[in-house]
Amino acid sequence: DQQVKQNSPSLSVQEGRISILNCDYTNSMFDYFLWYKKYPAEGPTFLISISSIKDKNEDGRFTVFLNKSAKHLSLHIVPSQPGDSAVYFCAASGNGGSQGNLIFGKGTKLSVKP
Amino acid sequence: KAGVTQTPRYLIKTRGQQVTLSCSPISGHRSVSWYQQTPGQGLQFLFEYFSETQRNKGNFPGRFSGRQFSNSRSEMNVSTLELGDSALYLCASSLGSLAGKETQYFGPGTRLLVL
């Protein structure tokens, strides 16, 4: 059973507009969430993270929102740029002390059109 | 600071053979985790090593094993390769704090093709 779900396999956005990528989780023990960006044949690149004690974290064009009651997080990219086109993975950790074990969603492919 | 490095980048093996992949973590990082990425299953956790000890293990058969050296470098071994082992194998490093809430930094991966 998937503990981290990204229900949209793909998303297409116009350059300059906002991209919103969503992620849902089922395990209430998760206390740390991360977003990674991945290009084909490369390893994931860390983008931004959020601890469960916060509901928002911002880094430049990237903002992550966490709604613990809904077990939902989202990544906002504003403004979107063509170079943002990649697969975005949501990941969670903190499952009762399972350090070193990130649980990943299956990813959302973002296409930013010029 | 140099990032996580993995060797080799590409590998072709045949069924029944074994393979060893290598990972050098970021300097100062003591935890190394391994993941398998396939199109159908996504990124799945294999195991984590910290201070030369396996600290965590995912749901993979015993054909998948690993080890970590005193300099934190890690190797992963897959024996009796099967066609389904074809995947991108990713290594990630972090400081390894028991408090958790750590960011893992990934290497470029090793693409393994089993024929």
Side-chain angles (χ1 to χ4, degrees):
Chain A
D1 187 33
Q2 268 190 283
Q3 297 186 69
V4 177
K5 296 180 185 179
Q6 295 177 255
N7 292 318
S8 298
S10 63
L11 174 68
S12 184
V13 169
Q14 206 66 32
E15 180 179 5
R17 306 295 289 269
I18 184 171
S19 295
I20 300 176
L21 297 102
N22 294 302
C23 178
D24 297 295
Y25 62 97
T26 57
N27 193 330
S28 57
M29 295 290 287
F30 289 146
D31 61 2
Y32 191 57
F33 303 89
L34 309 93
W35 284 93
Y36 287 87
K37 171 181 174 180
K38 188 179 184 301
Y39 295 113
E42 292 184 12
T45 301
F46 170 71
L47 277 176
I48 192 168
S49 62
I50 187 166
S51 167
S52 59
I53 61 173
K54 295 186 174 183
D55 54 18
K56 176 182 174 182
N57 189 27
E58 195 171 348
D59 184 2
R61 296 186 298 114
F62 302 93
T63 303
V64 56
F65 295 92
L66 175 62
N67 182 333
K68 280 181 295 187
S69 60
K71 294 192 178 70
H72 177 84
L73 62 155
S74 60
L75 174 68
H76 293 211
I77 306 174
V78 185
S80 301
Q81 300 172 353
D84 295 330
S85 297
V87 178
Y88 288 78
F89 289 95
C90 166
S93 72
N95 184 19
S98 294
Q99 291 86 2
N101 177 4
L102 288 178
I103 309 295
F104 282 86
K106 297 217 168 168
T108 295
K109 184 176 183 179
L110 173 66
S111 299
V112 180
K113 301 191 181 307
Chain B
K1 203 183 251 189
V4 178
T5 58
Q6 291 186 247
T7 56
R9 292 294 310 277
Y10 304 94
L11 210 46
I12 299 175
K13 293 284 188 179
T14 56
R15 275 183 302 173
Q17 287 187 308
Q18 75 162 15
V19 67
T20 299
L21 313 180
S22 180
C23 172
S24 292
I26 292 171
S27 176
H29 284 191
R30 296 171 64 193
S31 169
V32 173
S33 296
W34 288 89
Y35 294 83
Q36 180 195 66
Q37 186 187 20
T38 57
Q41 297 299 319
L43 275 148
Q44 291 188 291
F45 173 73
L46 281 154
F47 32 65
E48 183 225 1
Y49 284 86
F50 179 79
S51 289
E52 302 178 64
T53 301
Q54 188 180 87
R55 189 163 67 172
N56 244 309
K57 188 178 188 306
N59 294 326
F60 278 82
R63 300 185 297 107
F64 292 82
S65 62
R67 59 177 176 167
Q68 187 179 34
F69 302 94
S70 57
N71 61 358
S72 295
R73 190 177 71 84
S74 177
E75 288 182 346
M76 185 192 116
N77 185 77
V78 187
S79 62
T80 320
L81 283 165
E82 300 177 1
L83 295 178
D85 296 333
S86 295
L88 181 67
Y89 290 89
L90 293 158
C91 160
S93 78
S94 67
L95 290 169
S97 163
L98 282 173
K101 296 188 181 181
E102 285 198 338
T103 298
Q104 291 184 22
Y105 296 90
F106 283 82
T110 295
R111 171 71 64 183
L112 172 64
L113 177 61
V114 182
L115 302 175

